[in-house]
Amino acid sequence: MDLQNRQLLLLGLLRIQTMHGYQLNQFLEEHLDFMTSLKPSTAYYTLERMAAEGLVEAHAEQAGNRPTRQIYAITPAGEIRYRELLRRNLASYDPCESADDIGIAFLADLPPEEARQLLAEKRALIQDRLDKILAAEDRVDAASATHLSLERVKRQHQLDLEWLSEVEAWLERALAQEAEPGSAPEP
Amino acid sequence: MDLQNRQLLLLGLLRIQTMHGYQLNQFLEEHLDFMTSLKPSTAYYTLERMAAEGLVEAHAEQAGNRPTRQIYAITPAGEIRYRELLRRNLASYDPCESADDIGIAFLADLPPEEARQLLAEKRALIQDRLDKILAAEDRVDAASATHLSLERVKRQHQLDLEWLSEVEAWLERALAQEAEPGSAPEP
DNA sequence: AATCGAATAGTCAAGTTTGACTAATCAGGG
DNA sequence: CCCTGATTAGTCAAACTTGACTATTCGATT
């Protein structure tokens, strides 16, 4: 996630309600866990930075005897920026090219049997996450925008399960070819 | 893309052939463009770091009168690390939760007509990229591992196009509901 | 033969990100 | 009433990332 989307997300939340950093982070963890991996430290940094830019205003609050905390509220400049970022986000498309499947390119460097086992572990991980997403889907209003986002993540996981099957098939073929053509097995 | 996958990628390439940084970056841009967004500076940094860790060895080379360049070769320690990283990569799954669709959550904050236009721009972008991927797919050996990776990216784009249709339908419904229930239109 | 632009091969400062750490408060058990 | 572990609310140094920049060489053009 890049800076712009992070700002968009935080501004969007502050627009709904003024909050302090910890509260924001709690909200992110509770409700947006499956969508973003915005770390607490990063959120604090982003808030400070936005405060310096005048997009949000912080005012210190003393609750009981706790360390004073900064309550952030969106400013008019922040509102304008919010709209800009929202427009940019809706009109753009860059699905982080994470190359998290780079290992596939080097699949042939491992003994096929081991590769098969490792891929089975990967499959289990995907399935696990998918189950969690399905459970979460039951809990959100089917007409909400959140549901749309969940739907996307769900399908991505389903797609990756299917794709993994093809990788496994590919591995099987490679294995068969290796055994087949009368070549002496190496010692 | 995180550090580990970056190291895996660079080690994997250096295993095939010793190279200098610029050469690596060229290769990445030419052949792995659609898979990774590893920036040149980042590659240089990662190489230095791996050299410091003893995973690769650099030796300076003077070609003609050009500035001396560092030729990197993988070391035995690098080979071991390569296998570790490959195993970890194959067995893991964390599709960067980029929240690049975060804007959808705030879709209702824009006039529906404008939202529709912005989403149309997004659709055009996806289609564009998909076309490039399809073209690239024709050029790679259908039996290669690269083809598998391309296939995955392709389907992701197709999925996002389908998903976008649903977002548009959702927007349409929201728009209809707004018009419908005898509510006085606000001035 | 001087020049202009592209390619080669990086370097670096400025900005970003995060894991580890701090420090106070509260809730509950012994 | 004191201790312990969880929760609250961050801070910070160290590591990572990248856009902007440098400096040389080569090829082609005028």
Side-chain angles (χ1 to χ4, degrees):
Chain A
M1 181 141 83
D2 63 345
L3 193 108
Q4 289 190 356
N5 281 335
R6 243 167 17 235
Q7 289 196 349
L8 173 59
L9 175 55
L10 294 181
L11 287 175
L13 294 178
L14 288 179
R15 242 172 60 90
I16 299 172
Q17 195 193 329
T18 68
M19 292 196 243
H20 56 94
Y22 188 77
Q23 208 175 346
L24 271 166
N25 283 314
Q26 262 186 139
F27 186 88
L28 290 173
E29 204 189 322
E30 274 173 43
H31 301 291
L32 299 171
D33 193 25
F34 60 92
M35 297 191 40
T36 141
S37 53
L38 180 51
K39 302 280 192 294
S41 320
T42 309
Y44 284 119
Y45 173 78
T46 307
L47 285 170
E48 267 173 49
R49 194 182 180 290
M50 290 200 296
E53 274 187 274
L55 304 176
V56 299
E57 244 170 12
H59 75 106
E61 191 202 59
Q62 192 89 33
N65 235 357
R66 297 271 181 72
T68 60
R69 55 200 190 181
Q70 299 297 319
I71 306 267
Y72 291 96
I74 190 166
T75 64
E79 285 281 352
I80 291 171
R81 174 55 84 79
Y82 170 73
R83 255 142 227 274
E84 267 173 34
L85 291 176
L86 181 52
R87 288 198 180 92
R88 208 174 304 177
N89 175 283
L90 289 174
S92 74
Y93 184 69
D94 21 44
C96 59
E97 324 197 335
S98 67
D100 57 336
D101 62 341
I102 187 64
I104 300 299
F106 301 128
L107 202 55
D109 289 339
L110 245 39
E113 188 44 47
E114 191 185 356
R116 193 152 36 174
Q117 273 169 37
L118 294 168
L119 292 180
E121 281 182 57
K122 192 199 280 281
R123 174 179 292 281
L125 275 181
I126 305 179
Q127 189 64 58
D128 245 48
R129 291 174 55 130
L130 181 55
D131 290 344
K132 267 175 211 139
I133 291 163
L134 291 171
E137 211 170 24
D138 287 341
R139 286 196 300 275
V140 309
D141 175 10
S144 70
T146 311
H147 192 267
L148 281 173
S149 291
L150 258 179
E151 187 68 17
R152 183 172 174 231
V153 192
K154 182 184 88 181
R155 294 205 198 161
Q156 215 169 95
H157 281 66
Q158 287 168 339
L159 182 153
D160 277 328
L161 281 175
E162 279 174 49
W163 178 75
L164 194 55
S165 295
E166 277 171 51
V167 175
E168 283 161 351
W170 184 88
L171 191 61
E172 228 54 55
R173 273 202 305 285
L175 201 132
Q177 271 210 340
E178 198 177 78
E180 178 203 316
S183 67
E186 62 267 70
Chain B
M1 180 141 85
D2 63 347
L3 193 106
Q4 290 191 354
N5 281 334
R6 245 170 12 237
Q7 290 197 347
L8 173 59
L9 175 54
L10 294 181
L11 287 175
L13 294 179
L14 288 179
R15 242 171 62 88
I16 299 172
Q17 196 194 328
T18 68
M19 293 197 244
H20 56 94
Y22 188 77
Q23 208 174 344
L24 270 166
N25 282 315
Q26 263 187 139
F27 186 88
L28 290 173
E29 205 191 322
E30 275 174 42
H31 302 291
L32 299 171
D33 195 24
F34 60 91
M35 295 191 41
T36 141
S37 54
L38 180 51
K39 303 278 191 295
S41 321
T42 309
Y44 284 118
Y45 174 78
T46 307
L47 285 170
E48 267 173 50
R49 195 182 179 292
M50 289 200 295
E53 274 187 274
L55 304 176
V56 298
E57 244 170 10
H59 75 104
E61 190 203 58
Q62 191 90 34
N65 235 357
R66 299 269 181 72
T68 59
R69 55 201 190 181
Q70 300 296 318
I71 306 268
Y72 291 96
I74 190 167
T75 64
E79 285 282 352
I80 290 171
R81 175 54 84 79
Y82 169 71
R83 254 141 227 275
E84 266 173 34
L85 291 176
L86 181 51
R87 288 199 180 93
R88 208 174 304 177
N89 175 282
L90 288 174
S92 74
Y93 184 70
D94 20 46
C96 60
E97 324 197 336
S98 67
D100 57 336
D101 61 340
I102 187 64
I104 300 299
F106 301 128
L107 202 55
D109 289 338
L110 245 38
E113 189 44 47
E114 190 184 357
R116 192 152 37 174
Q117 273 169 36
L118 294 169
L119 291 180
E121 282 182 55
K122 191 199 282 278
R123 174 179 291 281
L125 276 181
I126 305 180
Q127 189 64 58
D128 245 48
R129 293 175 54 131
L130 180 55
D131 290 344
K132 266 175 212 140
I133 291 164
L134 290 171
E137 211 170 24
D138 287 341
R139 285 196 302 275
V140 307
D141 175 11
S144 70
T146 311
H147 192 268
L148 281 173
S149 291
L150 257 178
E151 187 67 18
R152 182 172 174 230
V153 192
K154 183 184 87 180
R155 294 204 198 162
Q156 215 169 95
H157 281 66
Q158 287 169 339
L159 183 154
D160 276 328
L161 281 175
E162 279 175 49
W163 178 75
L164 194 54
S165 295
E166 277 171 51
V167 175
E168 283 161 351
W170 185 87
L171 192 60
E172 228 54 53
R173 271 201 306 284
L175 200 132
Q177 271 212 341
E178 198 176 78
E180 178 203 317
S183 68
E186 62 266 68

